[in-house]
Amino acid sequence: RICVITLAEAHPLLQSGKTIKNINYQISANCSRLQNKVSGKSKRGAQFLTELAPLCRITSSDGEEYTIYSCIRGRLIEVNENILSNPALLQEKPSTEGYIAVVLPKFEESKSVTQGLLTQKEYEAVLLKRRSSAS
């Protein structure tokens, strides 16, 4: 039932040979994802995220900034602080140690959330279509 947020294989940071200069979980002056303190079985204190809630901002060596969004409604269980000291994990191991955050959708919404996700084959078909329309 938990969702691990990672960079998609097709994300520009993983495609273009860019290097990551900085990862910032400070979303606004009053909101830092690093301040998220979760406790207990009911995950008290977890920040609630909507689909459009920013999780972090990643700056590449060429100065381009990418905002990574939650894309899912739920409670922020944890952010990966390891990528702050070792940003290369995002590119070297994006689907394991280089994850961005863990989000727990509401129990009653979790089934509809998972049914709305693409399978690996569907995702690859979308990427293929996107590439062919761009060229």
Side-chain angles (χ1 to χ4, degrees):
R1 225 189 72 171
I2 65 168
C3 298
V4 179
I5 311 295
T6 64
L7 285 181
E9 292 172 26
H11 194 282
L13 279 168
L14 300 181
Q15 294 298 310
S16 54
K18 295 183 180 194
T19 52
I20 296 172
K21 187 173 86 175
N22 181 31
I23 299 165
N24 191 355
Y25 283 110
Q26 186 76 37
I27 301 309
S28 67
N30 298 328
C31 180
S32 171
R33 300 297 179 211
L34 292 173
Q35 300 302 314
N36 190 55
K37 300 292 178 227
V38 180
S39 66
K41 211 164 83 173
S42 62
K43 308 301 178 210
R44 247 185 330 275
Q47 295 174 12
F48 187 77
L49 305 170
T50 64
E51 296 93 332
L52 301 174
L55 285 172
C56 67
R57 290 190 176 82
I58 302 173
T59 309
S60 66
S61 53
D62 63 2
E64 216 164 328
E65 185 176 89
Y66 300 90
T67 301
I68 308 302
Y69 296 93
S70 168
C71 299
I72 203 159
R73 282 170 44 92
R75 293 178 177 273
L76 180 63
I77 302 304
E78 78 173 68
V79 294
N80 185 1
E81 294 185 34
N82 294 333
I83 61 175
L84 294 173
S85 58
N86 188 2
L89 281 175
L90 268 175
Q91 293 166 311
E92 293 165 5
K93 300 178 180 179
S95 56
T96 55
E97 295 170 48
Y99 72 96
I100 295 168
V102 177
V103 177
L104 180 67
K106 285 185 173 180
F107 182 74
E108 57 273 8
E109 292 178 11
S110 61
K111 193 167 192 160
S112 65
V113 164
T114 52
Q115 286 173 338
L117 297 175
L118 299 176
T119 65
Q120 184 68 27
K121 279 190 174 182
E122 290 170 331
Y123 174 67
E124 288 166 2
V126 167
L127 291 180
L128 201 62
K129 195 175 180 181
R130 190 182 294 165
R131 285 188 198 119
S132 65
S133 67
S135 54

